[in-house]
Amino acid sequence: MTTLPTLIDSPSAGPVPADQAGPVRRVLSLVERNFMIYRRSLTPVVFGLVEPVLYLLTIGYGVGSLVGSVPGVDTRYAAYVAPAILATTAMNTAVSHTIFGVFTRVKKDHTYEAIVPTPLSVTDIAYAEVTSAVINALITSVGFLAALAALGLVVSPGVLLAVPASVLVGVAFGAAGLAATTYLRDFADLQLVQLVMLPMFLFATTFYPLTVYPRPLQPFIEVLPLYQSIELIREPALGRFPATVPVAAGYLIVFSWLALRIAIRRMGPMLAR
């Protein structure tokens, strides 16, 4: 069982007792622990990149050869779906960390049994896990962005805004995943996560515009966090900056705050079980 050190190294002042370290340093100590584990295998990172690239090649180019240009957007189909797949990449990476990763550490590895007795609080643990999820989401998003550039799917310099946008998407879904994890009872419940994620992936305008839906259904699509994430990334990537972009950013900020509050409130009893 891995335990956190009781001392946190300080480059300027030497080791500092963990109970005297500030909250940022306590959080970073757990983030460092997570990435010490991750560096043993590049498989999660590689898989996180391979899956979205396959979606892009099979749907973006395969279906795109039948669709041509997207009506009302005046861009080829592959370039239209690419930013949406980038948003889903950030989402899936963050959720994978804070649901599958955290739940495994709770139920199988019992990692937190060694962490809870240390000076790290439940809030520190929550922030550290979300931070780790965001870093993972950022790595896969930048990798996928590089793939878009290599495939010639960069339409506008605004696509560079996908980097900070993927951070916000990672925070939102990392926090949401952490909150959802507190409701899971056993590994069979992980199937319920896919029951939510897959329909959202399919219906949140990943592969087609919102206008394909009947008008009465459109408000239900617009409240999906993935839809707002796609809006935040897709519009600047296509060189457009409508009012929906700051609205999407505000939505994700509020969503992140609410999800993180729920996660912190419920993690105490979960870790005590």
Side-chain angles (χ1 to χ4, degrees), residues 77-97:
Y77 186 72
Y80 179 78
V81 301
I85 296 177
L86 194 156
T88 61
T89 299
M91 174 190 74
N92 289 333
T93 304
V95 166
S96 177
H97 177 88

Side-chain angles (χ1 to χ4, degrees), residues 199-216:
M200 186 164 57
F201 169 65
L202 294 175
F203 292 103
T205 70
T206 307
F207 302 111
Y208 38 76
L210 181 66
T211 53
V212 303
Y213 291 105
R215 187 168 294 277

Side-chain angles (χ1 to χ4, degrees), residues 44-220:
V45 176
V46 172
F47 182 78
L49 287 173
V50 168
E51 183 180 12
V53 170
L54 289 178
Y55 273 119
L56 180 61
L57 295 176
T58 56
I59 298 179
Y61 283 99
V63 176
S65 65
L66 303 175
V67 174
S69 297
V70 179
V73 181
D74 193 27
T75 188
R76 53 180 172 154
Y77 186 72
Y80 179 78
V81 301
I85 296 177
L86 194 156
T88 61
T89 299
M91 174 190 74
N92 289 333
T93 304
V95 166
S96 177
H97 177 88
T98 55
I99 290 186
F100 301 100
V102 170
F103 193 71
T104 298
R105 286 191 281 279
V106 171
K107 291 293 186 178
K108 180 182 177 182
D109 298 337
H110 304 288
T111 302
Y112 299 110
E113 290 182 8
I115 295 176
V116 170
T118 73
L120 272 74
S121 66
V122 170
T123 301
D124 294 332
I125 294 172
Y127 280 122
E129 295 295 1
V130 172
T131 300
S132 298
V134 170
I135 294 173
N136 282 330
L138 182 60
I139 292 172
T140 54
S141 297
V142 170
F144 185 72
L145 191 59
L148 299 189
L151 292 170
L153 295 177
V154 174
V155 176
S156 164
V159 74
L160 294 176
L161 294 176
V163 176
S166 66
V167 171
L168 185 52
V169 174
V171 172
F173 282 99
L178 195 61
T181 302
T182 64
Y183 290 92
L184 301 180
R185 297 160 298 180
D186 52 46
F187 283 97
D189 287 346
L190 293 175
Q191 298 300 318
L192 300 175
V193 177
Q194 294 300 326
L195 191 61
V196 174
M197 299 289 290
L198 183 58
M200 186 164 57
F201 169 65
L202 294 175
F203 292 103
T205 70
T206 307
F207 302 111
Y208 38 76
L210 181 66
T211 53
V212 303
Y213 291 105
R215 187 168 294 277
L217 291 180
Q218 291 180 13
F220 295 97

